């Protein structure tokens, strides 16, 4: 295939070292059930789920521990059978505090009766599919963890004509989506068709970057007989996997600031989400485990693991071997992930990777030299330098005009900044400041 003519997004982007060789050839492996699981009731965008169990309760695998508390919310299920040993308040990686349900596994792996119901998805209508997906607690597994049933229910005045299946996985080091496409190809393809039916669309495109040619070929071969589905190999460029960039690359449609993919007739879903949809609809299995890449120079045996939700990062690092000199842990990829204060953090539905680094390069940030590099590389035409100047000056009223809320926090500006300024961290802070300011303004009216 002529890579010169491959599609990509038109503006900005960077080329960080890929580092996928550490784990890409390691097939998905299911780990043994840990003795203790810790399950936050907030593992998605939206309202936290509401705990419906008490300390001392005996639960079975697949049982609902916390039920959805609104439309943009999903339940949390028990990944194994055992006893609820504690319910404690603690912070999740974002810093928000919520209930964490602690389960001591009994080693029996006893499923709740009737939960693993086999279904023929072709006999279900769209609303039935979405209800199953909701009840199984499925969220987007690409990182944002948006409830999937909501994403499959766009406003009635926003007709959708294309579903994009995101197999780009542009974050360096990360390979779990790659292995899902390689190791669970058929299930992913069925999950795609199920979501097409839920949305009522006849057309879908599978997008895969050119650094995964074998995954591209497997996905293309899995859908060759379906005239409504095509596969497209894309140029390698970060952040190709961001929704707006992927839509532009594949369809040439631009999602304007403040708008969402459904405004241009598109829904984007991750390949891991497609697998979860398949398991929920066809096998009756709630989202109680997911593929996680454990890698980095500080990991002795980099791998792609199928991990029960609630497994501690410490357990994964102990299993794979972690260098005693490890200096930094990150949940997610190195560009958009969150540095962890400790390994005493559980894997949640949105956890795609755990990275351990035994070297960190510390740069003393310098002043802005007005080079414009951050503006040049921003895929959304963002004015990062102007944003940070307003943030440092405390000019909250300017944030909206500068489209601070449209920043997807991809980190390209920070990566490219020759003064080593953590620009994206400023912008994350600005978002919180702006929302608080808007709330105060509303109260004054």
């Amino acid at each position: 295939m002529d890579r010169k003519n491959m599609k990509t997004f038109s503006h900005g982007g960077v080329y960080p070292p890929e580092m996928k060789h550490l784990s890409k050839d390691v097939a998905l492996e299911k780990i043994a059930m840990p003795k203790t699981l810790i399950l936050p009731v907030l593992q998605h965008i939206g309202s936290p789920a509401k705990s419906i169990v008490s300390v001392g309760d005996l639960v079975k695998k697949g049982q609902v521990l916390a039920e959805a508390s609104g439309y943009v919310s999903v339940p949390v299920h028990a990944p194994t059978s055992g006893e609820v040993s504690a319910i404690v308040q603690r912070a999740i990686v974002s810093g928000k505090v919520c209930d964490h349900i602690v389960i001591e596994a009994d080693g029996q792996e006893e499923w709740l009766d009737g939960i693993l119901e086999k279904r023929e998805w072709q006999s279900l209508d769209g609303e039935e599919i979405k209800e199953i997906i909701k009840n199984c607690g499925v969220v987007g597994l690409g990182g944002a963890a948006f409830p999937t049933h909501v994403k499959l229910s766009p406003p009635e005045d926003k007709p959708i004509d294309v579903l994009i299946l995101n197999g780009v996985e542009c974050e360096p080091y990360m390979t779990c989506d790659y292995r899902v496409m390689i190791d669970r190809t058929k299930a992913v393809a069925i999950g795609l068709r199920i979501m097409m039916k839920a949305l009522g669309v006849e057309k879908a495109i599978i997008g895969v970057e050119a650094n995964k040619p074998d995954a591209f070929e497997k996905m293309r071969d899995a859908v060759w007989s379906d005239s409504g589905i095509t596969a497209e190999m894309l140029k390698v460029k970060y952040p190709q996997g961001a929704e707006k960039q992927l839509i532009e690359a594949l369809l040439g449609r631009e999602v304007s600031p403040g708008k969402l993919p459904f405004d241009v007739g598109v829904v984007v879903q991750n390949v891991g989400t497609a697998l979860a949809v398949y398991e929920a609809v066809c096998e009756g299995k709630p989202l109680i485990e997911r593929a996680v890449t454990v890698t980095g120079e500080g990991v002795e045996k980099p791998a792609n693991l199928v991990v029960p939700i609630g497994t501690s990062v410490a357990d994964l690092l102990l299993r794979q071997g972690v260098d005693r000199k490890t200096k930094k842990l990150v949940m997610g990829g190195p560009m958009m992930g969150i540095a962890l204060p400790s390994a005493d953090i559980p894997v949640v539905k949105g956890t795609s990777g755990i990275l351990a680094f035994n070297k960190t390069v510390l740069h003393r940030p310098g002043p802005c030299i007005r080079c414009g590099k951050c503006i040049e590389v921003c895929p959304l035409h963002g004015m990062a330098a102007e944003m940070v100047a307003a943030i440092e000056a405390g000019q909250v009223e300017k944030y909206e005009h500068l489209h601070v809320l449209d920043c997807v926090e991809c980190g390209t500006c920070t990566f490219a900044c020759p003064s080593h300024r953590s620009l994206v961290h400023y912008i994350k802070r600005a978002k919180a400041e702006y929302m608080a300011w808007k709330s105060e303004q509303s109260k004054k009216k």
Side-chain angles (χ1 to χ4, degrees):
M1 183 173 290
D2 182 1
R3 297 196 176 197
K4 290 183 179 179
N5 295 321
M6 289 180 190
K7 295 177 179 176
T8 187
F9 55 96
S10 61
H11 185 268
V14 292
Y15 303 90
E18 295 181 8
M19 304 305 293
K20 294 178 183 289
H21 65 280
L22 296 173
S23 58
K24 77 178 186 65
D25 295 327
V26 185
L28 290 173
E29 179 186 0
K30 191 167 185 172
I31 70 168
M33 186 63 65
K35 291 182 178 179
T36 303
L37 297 168
I38 304 173
L39 298 127
V41 297
L42 180 55
Q43 302 189 34
H44 53 270
I45 287 178
S47 303
K50 183 179 179 181
S51 174
I52 57 172
V53 293
S54 302
V55 175
D57 284 357
L58 300 178
V59 298
K60 294 185 178 179
K61 191 171 184 176
Q63 180 176 333
V64 174
L65 303 175
E67 59 186 13
S69 61
Y71 180 59
V72 186
S73 184
V74 292
V76 176
H77 300 77
T80 188
S81 55
E83 180 178 352
V84 177
S85 61
I87 300 176
V88 296
Q89 286 253 310
R90 55 185 285 187
I92 57 176
V93 290
S94 69
K96 294 181 179 179
V97 175
C98 68
D99 281 348
H100 286 56
I101 301 169
V102 182
I103 295 179
E104 299 298 330
D106 61 10
Q108 301 301 308
E109 298 285 318
E110 186 178 359
W111 283 90
L112 187 69
D113 288 343
I115 196 168
L116 295 177
E117 180 185 356
K118 303 288 185 184
R119 303 183 186 92
E120 296 293 334
W121 67 272
Q122 296 90 340
S123 65
L124 302 171
D125 64 30
E127 293 305 315
E128 290 171 327
I129 289 171
K130 285 184 278 190
E131 188 67 15
I132 293 168
I133 291 171
K134 175 184 177 182
N135 291 338
C136 285
V138 179
V139 301
L141 300 188
F146 198 88
T148 301
H149 69 281
V150 179
K151 208 169 182 181
L152 293 174
S153 306
E156 291 185 359
D157 61 343
K158 306 287 184 183
I160 305 299
D161 65 341
V162 183
L163 171 62
I164 291 177
L165 189 64
N166 188 350
V168 171
E169 197 170 50
C170 58
E171 274 271 12
Y173 287 90
M174 303 303 297
T175 55
C176 60
D177 282 356
Y178 167 74
R179 291 311 316 188
V180 163
M181 288 187 283
I182 293 285
D183 299 333
R184 301 298 307 274
T185 312
K186 184 177 179 181
V188 171
I190 295 173
L192 171 60
R193 295 186 181 101
I194 293 171
M195 290 191 288
M196 290 175 69
K197 184 167 187 179
L199 278 169
V201 299
E202 302 294 330
K203 180 179 179 181
I205 306 173
I206 304 168
V208 182
E209 276 193 326
N211 57 3
K212 310 172 193 66
D214 43 358
F216 169 77
E217 290 176 7
K218 291 205 72 168
M219 291 306 309
R220 181 195 59 190
D221 293 348
V223 298
W224 72 270
S225 62
D226 193 325
S227 60
I229 306 176
T230 57
E232 189 90 39
M233 186 180 282
L234 298 157
K235 283 185 180 177
V236 177
K237 185 167 67 169
Y238 182 87
Q240 189 101 253
E243 285 189 341
K244 293 183 178 181
Q245 281 59 57
L246 188 55
I247 291 169
E248 185 203 346
L250 289 172
L251 297 167
R253 301 179 189 178
E254 182 177 349
V255 184
S256 303
K259 300 295 183 181
L260 295 170
F262 62 57
D263 288 302
V264 296
V266 183
V267 166
V268 181
Q269 296 282 4
N270 173 266
V271 292
T273 310
L275 173 59
V277 165
Y278 163 80
E279 292 182 335
V281 174
C282 298
E283 299 179 349
K285 180 181 171 184
L287 183 55
I288 56 173
E289 62 186 18
R290 67 154 297 153
V292 177
T293 301
V294 182
T295 187
E297 290 79 0
V299 176
E300 294 174 7
K301 296 178 290 183
N304 300 289
L305 305 173
V306 178
V307 177
I309 305 297
T311 303
S312 78
V313 170
D315 281 350
L316 295 181
L317 294 175
L318 183 64
R319 184 185 192 279
Q320 300 310 123
V322 61
D323 191 327
R324 290 179 178 274
K325 297 178 181 177
T326 292
K327 295 181 177 178
K328 186 175 184 180
L329 296 175
V330 174
M331 181 173 279
M335 298 295 284
M336 295 188 70
I338 298 176
L340 298 178
S342 79
D344 185 24
I345 297 284
V347 167
V348 294
K349 296 178 181 180
T351 304
S352 55
I354 301 297
L355 309 182
F357 299 108
N358 52 18
K359 293 181 182 177
T360 55
V361 180
L362 296 177
H363 295 290
R364 185 181 294 278
C368 177
I369 59 174
R370 314 296 290 176
C371 67
K373 193 68 179 177
C374 58
I375 298 170
E376 179 184 327
V377 300
C378 178
L380 294 172
H381 303 268
M383 307 286 285
E386 298 298 322
M387 291 180 193
V388 173
I391 295 162
E392 290 180 324
Q395 298 170 323
V396 182
E397 68 280 1
K398 288 188 175 180
Y399 293 178
E400 184 171 8
H401 173 68
L402 291 167
H403 301 293
V404 169
L405 294 183
D406 285 317
C407 173
V408 295
E409 304 173 12
C410 66
T412 54
C413 53
T414 298
F415 180 82
C417 179
S419 290
H420 308 297
R421 309 189 75 194
S422 298
L423 303 176
V424 72
H425 290 167
Y426 280 95
I427 297 170
K428 287 181 179 179
R429 190 186 90 191
K431 288 183 176 181
E433 289 178 353
Y434 179 75
M435 296 308 293
W437 179 76
K438 286 287 286 184
S439 177
E440 287 299 316
Q441 295 298 308
S442 298
K443 292 177 182 175
K444 292 177 181 177
K445 292 181 180 177

